[in-house]
PDB file of all heavy atoms in Angstrom:
ATOM      1  N   GLN A1114     -32.025  20.666  27.815  1.00  0.00           N
ATOM      2  CA  GLN A1114     -32.682  20.305  29.069  1.00  0.00           C
ATOM      3  C   GLN A1114     -32.389  18.836  29.408  1.00  0.00           C
ATOM      4  O   GLN A1114     -32.044  18.502  30.535  1.00  0.00           O
ATOM      5  CB  GLN A1114     -34.190  20.501  28.902  1.00  0.00           C
ATOM      6  CG  GLN A1114     -34.905  20.617  30.217  1.00  0.00           C
ATOM      7  CD  GLN A1114     -36.398  20.819  29.981  1.00  0.00           C
ATOM      8  OE1 GLN A1114     -36.846  20.918  28.830  1.00  0.00           O
ATOM      9  NE2 GLN A1114     -37.151  20.858  31.038  1.00  0.00           N
ATOM     10  N   ILE A1118     -30.406  17.233  32.716  1.00  0.00           N
ATOM     11  CA  ILE A1118     -30.964  16.213  33.627  1.00  0.00           C
ATOM     12  C   ILE A1118     -30.017  15.022  33.700  1.00  0.00           C
ATOM     13  O   ILE A1118     -29.686  14.529  34.784  1.00  0.00           O
ATOM     14  CB  ILE A1118     -32.366  15.777  33.140  1.00  0.00           C
ATOM     15  CG1 ILE A1118     -33.351  16.930  33.320  1.00  0.00           C
ATOM     16  CG2 ILE A1118     -32.840  14.541  33.909  1.00  0.00           C
ATOM     17  CD1 ILE A1118     -34.661  16.744  32.586  1.00  0.00           C
ATOM     18  N   PRO A1136     -26.509   7.554  28.971  1.00  0.00           N
ATOM     19  CA  PRO A1136     -25.314   7.610  29.809  1.00  0.00           C
ATOM     20  C   PRO A1136     -24.714   6.232  30.077  1.00  0.00           C
ATOM     21  O   PRO A1136     -23.726   6.117  30.796  1.00  0.00           O
ATOM     22  CB  PRO A1136     -25.832   8.228  31.098  1.00  0.00           C
ATOM     23  CG  PRO A1136     -27.265   7.817  31.141  1.00  0.00           C
ATOM     24  CD  PRO A1136     -27.746   7.761  29.714  1.00  0.00           C
ATOM     25  N   TYR A1137     -25.305   5.201  29.530  1.00  0.00           N
ATOM     26  CA  TYR A1137     -24.745   3.854  29.667  1.00  0.00           C
ATOM     27  C   TYR A1137     -25.312   2.992  28.557  1.00  0.00           C
ATOM     28  O   TYR A1137     -26.281   3.362  27.893  1.00  0.00           O
ATOM     29  CB  TYR A1137     -25.083   3.212  31.030  1.00  0.00           C
ATOM     30  CG  TYR A1137     -26.540   3.301  31.403  1.00  0.00           C
ATOM     31  CD1 TYR A1137     -27.479   2.457  30.831  1.00  0.00           C
ATOM     32  CD2 TYR A1137     -26.978   4.251  32.322  1.00  0.00           C
ATOM     33  CE1 TYR A1137     -28.811   2.549  31.151  1.00  0.00           C
ATOM     34  CE2 TYR A1137     -28.315   4.357  32.655  1.00  0.00           C
ATOM     35  CZ  TYR A1137     -29.226   3.500  32.071  1.00  0.00           C
ATOM     36  OH  TYR A1137     -30.552   3.606  32.371  1.00  0.00           O
ATOM     37  N   TYR A1141     -25.610  -7.981  25.940  1.00  0.00           N
ATOM     38  CA  TYR A1141     -25.952  -9.355  26.325  1.00  0.00           C
ATOM     39  C   TYR A1141     -25.279 -10.319  25.361  1.00  0.00           C
ATOM     40  O   TYR A1141     -25.261 -10.080  24.147  1.00  0.00           O
ATOM     41  CB  TYR A1141     -27.471  -9.563  26.287  1.00  0.00           C
ATOM     42  CG  TYR A1141     -27.860 -10.996  26.572  1.00  0.00           C
ATOM     43  CD1 TYR A1141     -27.807 -11.478  27.868  1.00  0.00           C
ATOM     44  CD2 TYR A1141     -28.217 -11.873  25.548  1.00  0.00           C
ATOM     45  CE1 TYR A1141     -28.107 -12.811  28.138  1.00  0.00           C
ATOM     46  CE2 TYR A1141     -28.528 -13.191  25.808  1.00  0.00           C
ATOM     47  CZ  TYR A1141     -28.468 -13.651  27.109  1.00  0.00           C
ATOM     48  OH  TYR A1141     -28.758 -14.965  27.376  1.00  0.00           O
ATOM     49  N   GLY A1142     -24.723 -11.417  25.882  1.00  0.00           N
ATOM     50  CA  GLY A1142     -24.122 -12.430  25.014  1.00  0.00           C
ATOM     51  C   GLY A1142     -24.301 -13.815  25.601  1.00  0.00           C
ATOM     52  O   GLY A1142     -24.468 -13.971  26.815  1.00  0.00           O
ATOM     53  N   ALA A1145     -22.549 -21.629  23.911  1.00  0.00           N
ATOM     54  CA  ALA A1145     -22.699 -23.005  24.410  1.00  0.00           C
ATOM     55  C   ALA A1145     -21.767 -23.908  23.620  1.00  0.00           C
ATOM     56  O   ALA A1145     -21.482 -23.644  22.446  1.00  0.00           O
ATOM     57  CB  ALA A1145     -24.139 -23.483  24.230  1.00  0.00           C
ATOM     58  N   ARG A1152     -11.357 -33.595  26.329  1.00  0.00           N
ATOM     59  CA  ARG A1152     -11.201 -32.144  26.140  1.00  0.00           C
ATOM     60  C   ARG A1152     -11.119 -31.503  27.524  1.00  0.00           C
ATOM     61  O   ARG A1152     -11.706 -32.002  28.483  1.00  0.00           O
ATOM     62  CB  ARG A1152     -12.423 -31.559  25.417  1.00  0.00           C
ATOM     63  CG  ARG A1152     -12.594 -32.026  23.999  1.00  0.00           C
ATOM     64  CD  ARG A1152     -11.713 -31.298  23.018  1.00  0.00           C
ATOM     65  NE  ARG A1152     -11.811 -29.845  23.113  1.00  0.00           N
ATOM     66  CZ  ARG A1152     -11.106 -28.999  22.359  1.00  0.00           C
ATOM     67  NH1 ARG A1152     -10.244 -29.456  21.448  1.00  0.00           N
ATOM     68  NH2 ARG A1152     -11.228 -27.688  22.495  1.00  0.00           N
ATOM     69  N   THR A1160      -9.014 -23.631  34.383  1.00  0.00           N
ATOM     70  CA  THR A1160      -9.227 -25.028  33.978  1.00  0.00           C
ATOM     71  C   THR A1160      -9.870 -25.773  35.145  1.00  0.00           C
ATOM     72  O   THR A1160      -9.319 -25.847  36.239  1.00  0.00           O
ATOM     73  CB  THR A1160      -7.899 -25.682  33.565  1.00  0.00           C
ATOM     74  OG1 THR A1160      -7.344 -24.923  32.480  1.00  0.00           O
ATOM     75  CG2 THR A1160      -8.113 -27.113  33.093  1.00  0.00           C
ATOM     76  N   VAL A1168     -16.078 -29.167  23.318  1.00  0.00           N
ATOM     77  CA  VAL A1168     -15.619 -29.406  21.945  1.00  0.00           C
ATOM     78  C   VAL A1168     -15.704 -28.068  21.226  1.00  0.00           C
ATOM     79  O   VAL A1168     -16.796 -27.489  21.133  1.00  0.00           O
ATOM     80  CB  VAL A1168     -16.523 -30.436  21.235  1.00  0.00           C
ATOM     81  CG1 VAL A1168     -16.074 -30.639  19.794  1.00  0.00           C
ATOM     82  CG2 VAL A1168     -16.533 -31.743  22.010  1.00  0.00           C
ATOM     83  N   ASP A1182     -18.939 -11.468  23.338  1.00  0.00           N
ATOM     84  CA  ASP A1182     -20.110 -11.127  22.519  1.00  0.00           C
ATOM     85  C   ASP A1182     -20.960 -10.050  23.202  1.00  0.00           C
ATOM     86  O   ASP A1182     -21.513  -9.169  22.535  1.00  0.00           O
ATOM     87  CB  ASP A1182     -20.969 -12.372  22.271  1.00  0.00           C
ATOM     88  CG  ASP A1182     -20.667 -13.011  20.917  1.00  0.00           C
ATOM     89  OD1 ASP A1182     -19.857 -12.460  20.139  1.00  0.00           O
ATOM     90  OD2 ASP A1182     -21.247 -14.073  20.632  1.00  0.00           O
ATOM     91  N   ALA A1183     -21.082 -10.115  24.515  1.00  0.00           N
ATOM     92  CA  ALA A1183     -21.870  -9.112  25.235  1.00  0.00           C
ATOM     93  C   ALA A1183     -21.252  -7.720  25.060  1.00  0.00           C
ATOM     94  O   ALA A1183     -21.958  -6.732  24.850  1.00  0.00           O
ATOM     95  CB  ALA A1183     -21.963  -9.471  26.718  1.00  0.00           C
ATOM     96  N   GLY A1194     -17.526 -14.007  16.034  1.00  0.00           N
ATOM     97  CA  GLY A1194     -17.326 -14.785  14.814  1.00  0.00           C
ATOM     98  C   GLY A1194     -16.809 -13.926  13.660  1.00  0.00           C
ATOM     99  O   GLY A1194     -16.115 -14.406  12.766  1.00  0.00           O
ATOM    100  N   ASP A1201     -11.106 -20.283  10.196  1.00  0.00           N
ATOM    101  CA  ASP A1201      -9.726 -19.856   9.976  1.00  0.00           C
ATOM    102  C   ASP A1201      -8.791 -20.662  10.880  1.00  0.00           C
ATOM    103  O   ASP A1201      -8.887 -20.600  12.114  1.00  0.00           O
ATOM    104  CB  ASP A1201      -9.627 -18.354  10.298  1.00  0.00           C
ATOM    105  CG  ASP A1201      -8.276 -17.769   9.891  1.00  0.00           C
ATOM    106  OD1 ASP A1201      -7.293 -18.537   9.828  1.00  0.00           O
ATOM    107  OD2 ASP A1201      -8.220 -16.554   9.639  1.00  0.00           O
ATOM    108  N   ASP A1206      -7.505 -23.620  18.629  1.00  0.00           N
ATOM    109  CA  ASP A1206      -7.031 -23.723  20.012  1.00  0.00           C
ATOM    110  C   ASP A1206      -6.591 -22.369  20.595  1.00  0.00           C
ATOM    111  O   ASP A1206      -5.747 -22.293  21.483  1.00  0.00           O
ATOM    112  CB  ASP A1206      -5.887 -24.743  20.142  1.00  0.00           C
ATOM    113  CG  ASP A1206      -6.358 -26.148  19.776  1.00  0.00           C
ATOM    114  OD1 ASP A1206      -7.524 -26.470  20.091  1.00  0.00           O
ATOM    115  OD2 ASP A1206      -5.590 -26.899  19.154  1.00  0.00           O
ATOM    116  N   ASP A1208      -6.351 -19.120  22.737  1.00  0.00           N
ATOM    117  CA  ASP A1208      -6.630 -18.764  24.131  1.00  0.00           C
ATOM    118  C   ASP A1208      -7.723 -17.684  24.097  1.00  0.00           C
ATOM    119  O   ASP A1208      -7.529 -16.611  23.524  1.00  0.00           O
ATOM    120  CB  ASP A1208      -5.344 -18.224  24.757  1.00  0.00           C
ATOM    121  CG  ASP A1208      -5.532 -17.753  26.191  1.00  0.00           C
ATOM    122  OD1 ASP A1208      -6.694 -17.694  26.655  1.00  0.00           O
ATOM    123  OD2 ASP A1208      -4.521 -17.450  26.841  1.00  0.00           O
ATOM    124  N   ARG A1223     -14.913   2.383  20.808  1.00  0.00           N
ATOM    125  CA  ARG A1223     -16.251   2.978  20.605  1.00  0.00           C
ATOM    126  C   ARG A1223     -16.625   3.943  21.719  1.00  0.00           C
ATOM    127  O   ARG A1223     -17.740   4.444  21.777  1.00  0.00           O
ATOM    128  CB  ARG A1223     -17.315   1.872  20.537  1.00  0.00           C
ATOM    129  CG  ARG A1223     -17.067   0.850  19.456  1.00  0.00           C
ATOM    130  CD  ARG A1223     -17.541   1.356  18.105  1.00  0.00           C
ATOM    131  NE  ARG A1223     -17.199   0.422  17.045  1.00  0.00           N
ATOM    132  CZ  ARG A1223     -18.087  -0.107  16.194  1.00  0.00           C
ATOM    133  NH1 ARG A1223     -19.363   0.196  16.287  1.00  0.00           N
ATOM    134  NH2 ARG A1223     -17.681  -0.926  15.255  1.00  0.00           N
ATOM    135  N   LEU A1232     -22.939 -12.923  35.160  1.00  0.00           N
ATOM    136  CA  LEU A1232     -22.905 -14.085  34.279  1.00  0.00           C
ATOM    137  C   LEU A1232     -23.482 -15.332  34.926  1.00  0.00           C
ATOM    138  O   LEU A1232     -23.420 -15.513  36.137  1.00  0.00           O
ATOM    139  CB  LEU A1232     -21.502 -14.296  33.722  1.00  0.00           C
ATOM    140  CG  LEU A1232     -20.333 -14.721  34.566  1.00  0.00           C
ATOM    141  CD1 LEU A1232     -20.165 -16.212  34.465  1.00  0.00           C
ATOM    142  CD2 LEU A1232     -19.115 -14.008  34.054  1.00  0.00           C
ATOM    143  N   VAL A1233     -24.081 -16.169  34.065  1.00  0.00           N
ATOM    144  CA  VAL A1233     -24.730 -17.405  34.488  1.00  0.00           C
ATOM    145  C   VAL A1233     -24.153 -18.555  33.676  1.00  0.00           C
ATOM    146  O   VAL A1233     -24.114 -18.473  32.446  1.00  0.00           O
ATOM    147  CB  VAL A1233     -26.255 -17.355  34.242  1.00  0.00           C
ATOM    148  CG1 VAL A1233     -26.918 -18.641  34.736  1.00  0.00           C
ATOM    149  CG2 VAL A1233     -26.888 -16.145  34.894  1.00  0.00           C
ATOM    150  N   ARG A1240     -19.950 -29.802  39.865  1.00  0.00           N
ATOM    151  CA  ARG A1240     -20.399 -28.656  40.652  1.00  0.00           C
ATOM    152  C   ARG A1240     -19.325 -27.573  40.625  1.00  0.00           C
ATOM    153  O   ARG A1240     -18.139 -27.870  40.810  1.00  0.00           O
ATOM    154  CB  ARG A1240     -20.664 -29.091  42.099  1.00  0.00           C
ATOM    155  CG  ARG A1240     -21.879 -29.974  42.224  1.00  0.00           C
ATOM    156  CD  ARG A1240     -23.105 -29.105  42.092  1.00  0.00           C
ATOM    157  NE  ARG A1240     -24.269 -29.909  41.721  1.00  0.00           N
ATOM    158  CZ  ARG A1240     -25.512 -29.436  41.781  1.00  0.00           C
ATOM    159  NH1 ARG A1240     -25.740 -28.205  42.172  1.00  0.00           N
ATOM    160  NH2 ARG A1240     -26.515 -30.187  41.419  1.00  0.00           N
ATOM    161  N   GLY A1242     -19.658 -24.511  42.340  1.00  0.00           N
ATOM    162  CA  GLY A1242     -19.714 -23.619  43.518  1.00  0.00           C
ATOM    163  C   GLY A1242     -18.357 -23.406  44.179  1.00  0.00           C
ATOM    164  O   GLY A1242     -17.963 -22.262  44.460  1.00  0.00           O
ATOM    165  N   ALA A1250     -12.630 -14.036  40.245  1.00  0.00           N
ATOM    166  CA  ALA A1250     -11.403 -13.227  40.366  1.00  0.00           C
ATOM    167  C   ALA A1250     -10.629 -13.225  39.053  1.00  0.00           C
ATOM    168  O   ALA A1250     -10.079 -12.198  38.642  1.00  0.00           O
ATOM    169  CB  ALA A1250     -10.532 -13.765  41.496  1.00  0.00           C
ATOM    170  N   ALA A1254      -9.910  -9.978  36.792  1.00  0.00           N
ATOM    171  CA  ALA A1254      -8.538  -9.562  36.452  1.00  0.00           C
ATOM    172  C   ALA A1254      -8.388  -9.366  34.944  1.00  0.00           C
ATOM    173  O   ALA A1254      -7.775  -8.389  34.496  1.00  0.00           O
ATOM    174  CB  ALA A1254      -7.543 -10.595  36.962  1.00  0.00           C
TER     175      ALA A1254
END
Side-chain angles (χ1 to χ4, degrees):
Q1114 200 180 357
I1118 291 166
Y1137 49 77
Y1141 175 75
R1152 294 280 308 179
T1160 301
V1168 178
D1182 263 356
D1201 189 335
D1206 297 324
D1208 177 352
R1223 303 279 175 125
L1232 68 96
V1233 182
R1240 290 285 159 167

